[in-house]
Amino acid sequence: MRIKINSSAIKETRWHQLATRFCIGGLITAATGLIAKRYGPAVGGLFLAFPAIFPSSATLIESHQKQEKEEAGVQAPKRARQAVSIDAAGAAMGGIGLLVFALFVTEFIEKFTPWLVILAATAAWAAVSFLLWFLRKEA
Amino acid sequence: MKEILVRFLVGGLSVSLFAFLGDLFKPKSFAGLFGAAPSIALATLLLTVGKDGPHYAAIEASSMIAGSVAFFVYSSAVSRLMMHRAEKALLAATTLLPLWAAVAFGLWYGLKK
């Protein structure tokens, strides 16, 4: 299956859903800072990989799928569950990319220009995640 | 207070951007990759480096290794649960959050010893 732009999902996304994600992301980031301040950076660092928007994204996918399939007369709940499951499997592959991001930053942030290291680590996350997705698709 | 507000705004923007990218793509398995984007890490590490220096950021990133493994275990568990059991997405995703915490803290503690 080829990668495509899904314009319908953008149209279906409501403002309150965007606001929810913004608030969850903001709250977790602020909380991570507070946890690091209170318990130290070693504990705070764990939350850099917290699945912050996962529950809200899964709910969004489920509701979009139900709406889409019900309009097409297909059994909606089962298809919606499958869509969430497939999305979560993709997130698991991205999780391996996240591990590479963390290893990259740990190894290089004190040796090179920090913001460049963070940028390169993000590129490494994307490269590893996309490669794993592609390899799994081909298998 | 100002620092918390800055973290809230930068974190909210970063998470929203990656979530938007996730919405943008098809198929679902590819879009799902963006659910594991380093959105919170990006916002936090950039702010941390500026305020506390690269050594502090390196300590945070080293703990993130355990958090990332926990993320992989958590999202794999959500995927399996949703495929095989008739659960609501929100229920499955939130009830499995303690699994993330257990793996993250367990692994971090184990590596620390």
Side-chain angles (χ1 to χ4, degrees):
Chain A
M1 190 182 274
R2 290 172 62 186
I3 298 163
K4 291 177 189 167
I5 300 286
N6 184 16
S7 56
S8 65
I10 301 163
K11 288 175 200 160
E12 287 164 14
T13 305
R14 303 280 177 262
W15 279 107
H16 72 87
Q17 291 165 335
L18 295 173
T20 303
R21 287 166 164 185
F22 183 91
C23 289
I24 292 170
L27 284 173
I28 300 291
T29 309
T32 302
L34 291 172
I35 292 166
K37 197 173 269 183
R38 176 76 177 83
Y39 299 102
V43 177
L46 291 170
F47 291 87
L48 300 188
F50 185 74
I53 55 160
F54 198 91
S56 70
S57 292
T59 311
L60 200 62
I61 290 163
E62 187 179 53
S63 68
H64 282 174
Q65 280 291 313
K66 273 185 183 168
Q67 197 180 338
E68 203 175 288
K69 298 301 173 190
E70 275 167 4
E71 279 168 11
V74 182
Q75 194 191 3
K78 193 180 175 189
R79 290 292 180 93
R81 278 196 300 113
Q82 285 171 344
V84 174
S85 173
I86 292 165
D87 183 81
M93 282 184 271
I96 299 171
L98 206 56
L99 176 64
V100 173
F101 175 97
L103 288 166
F104 196 98
V105 174
T106 305
E107 188 62 30
F108 297 117
I109 201 157
E110 290 183 276
K111 295 174 185 158
F112 300 100
T113 310
W115 70 268
L116 273 177
V117 170
I118 295 168
L119 201 67
T122 308
W125 163 80
V128 169
S129 303
F130 296 174
L131 181 69
L132 284 172
W133 180 83
F134 185 76
L135 290 174
R136 192 169 182 224
K137 184 175 74 86
E138 293 296 305
Chain B
M1 191 62 198
K2 190 186 165 191
E3 188 199 332
I4 295 170
L5 189 67
V6 170
R7 280 183 184 273
F8 179 83
L9 292 174
V10 176
L13 275 175
S14 177
V15 166
S16 299
L17 177 72
F18 281 108
F20 175 76
L21 286 172
D23 287 344
L24 205 60
F25 292 108
K26 260 182 178 176
K28 285 272 170 279
S29 59
F30 183 78
L33 295 175
F34 293 91
S39 45
I40 292 171
L42 261 178
T44 302
L45 290 171
L46 285 171
L47 293 169
T48 299
V49 160
K51 188 174 174 283
D52 301 302
H55 181 66
Y56 194 97
I59 297 170
E60 285 192 330
S62 67
S63 286
M64 190 189 165
I65 293 168
S68 306
V69 174
F71 188 100
F72 173 79
V73 172
Y74 164 81
S75 44
S76 300
V78 173
S79 178
R80 286 191 70 86
L81 185 67
M82 290 304 292
M83 190 57 84
H84 300 294
R85 297 274 294 267
E87 301 288 354
K88 290 268 184 204
L90 185 64
L91 186 71
T94 49
T95 51
L96 283 170
L97 281 175
L99 176 67
W100 174 87
V103 175
F105 280 94
L107 197 59
W108 173 73
Y109 190 73
L111 289 172
K112 199 177 70 161
K113 279 179 104 179

